[in-house]
Amino acid sequence: MNPAVSNIVIMLVMMQVAKKLDFENPDVLFYTRAAYITCQVLALLVYFIVRVKINSKNDLTTLKYVEPANPMSGQTEPRAVVTTVKEYDLQQVNTQVKGIFTGLAMMGFMHIYMKYTNPLVMQSISSLKGALESNIVKIHLFGTPASGDLKRPFKAAPGFLEALTGAAGVQTDKASVESAEVAGAGGIKQD
């Protein structure tokens, strides 16, 4: 099933579950919080296991690609990136873990400060589902070969700005890499 479709289905089901729960009951509230925290801890555990596997493989194969210019951060030209598979994979794991902590902060604000409880139910499973469906977990935890959609660097779905401007995503072809390396800020090794 397509992850976007399954996300919608899960959200609809969890909304119906949240409507049926009596959040005035302290026991229901406690178990809802416990389920949310458990799912977040499990997602972090998945990424920790993946990080251990990445470090144990220690794949130092060179990886070159071109990141598109990001006008929002002041970049006007694409940037060549030279890194290793290990460093790229660790960077992907770090990005995913930051996403979990960002979600925890937002949910903490919404639940503790604004007193919303329904999002706890709806978001409880989404981070764990996202972790299990991420490309890096598919490669290192499930042993799926890194080819096709799982070929590094991973292709990200175009965002709203890229769709409007027609900007290309990450490029790996030799001509693009060489062109960016010769340009102003190209050939910078990522650490």
Side-chain angles (χ1 to χ4, degrees):
M1 179 183 271
N2 184 349
V5 173
S6 63
N7 284 342
I8 291 171
V9 169
I10 287 173
M11 284 298 133
L12 290 174
V13 168
M14 295 310 256
M15 283 173 52
Q16 296 305 314
V17 168
K19 285 182 183 178
K20 303 284 186 207
L21 294 175
D22 175 23
F23 292 118
E24 299 299 321
N25 182 343
D27 290 337
V28 171
L29 187 58
F30 171 78
Y31 288 119
T32 303
R33 289 174 178 163
Y36 176 77
I37 291 170
T38 301
C39 286
Q40 305 316 303
V41 168
L42 287 173
L44 288 171
L45 182 64
V46 165
Y47 289 125
F48 176 76
I49 292 169
V50 168
R51 179 186 299 276
V52 168
K53 287 187 178 255
I54 291 169
N55 285 326
S56 68
K57 286 181 184 177
N58 200 25
D59 188 351
L60 300 177
T61 306
T62 302
L63 181 64
K64 292 183 179 184
Y65 60 95
V66 178
E67 287 183 340
N70 185 356
M72 302 299 257
S73 67
Q75 284 182 326
T76 57
E77 295 183 16
R79 184 172 67 107
V81 178
V82 179
T83 187
T84 63
V85 170
K86 175 184 176 181
E87 290 302 317
Y88 180 80
D89 288 355
L90 288 173
Q91 179 186 20
Q92 294 297 310
V93 170
N94 290 341
T95 301
Q96 298 291 336
V97 169
K98 284 179 190 174
I100 289 177
F101 284 119
T102 302
L104 279 168
M106 288 173 45
M107 195 57 57
F109 173 77
M110 288 176 64
H111 180 63
I112 295 168
Y113 183 72
M114 299 180 76
K115 307 291 186 211
Y116 291 135
T117 307
N118 287 358
L120 282 179
V121 176
M122 292 184 276
Q123 293 296 320
S124 63
I125 197 82
S126 65
S127 61
L128 182 60
K129 179 184 178 298
L132 295 175
E133 289 178 343
S134 71
N135 290 340
I136 203 73
V137 171
K138 288 178 185 177
I139 292 171
H140 291 287
L141 195 62
F142 300 132
T144 308
S147 61
D149 288 344
L150 298 180
K151 188 173 193 267
R152 295 173 189 94
F154 303 132
K155 305 285 187 239
F160 181 70
L161 188 60
E162 287 111 8
L164 287 178
T165 60
V170 174
Q171 298 172 339
T172 57
D173 61 289
K174 190 174 181 176
S176 296
V177 171
E178 287 176 357
S179 171
E181 284 178 338
V182 172
I188 298 172
K189 182 174 183 334
Q190 289 285 344
D191 290 325

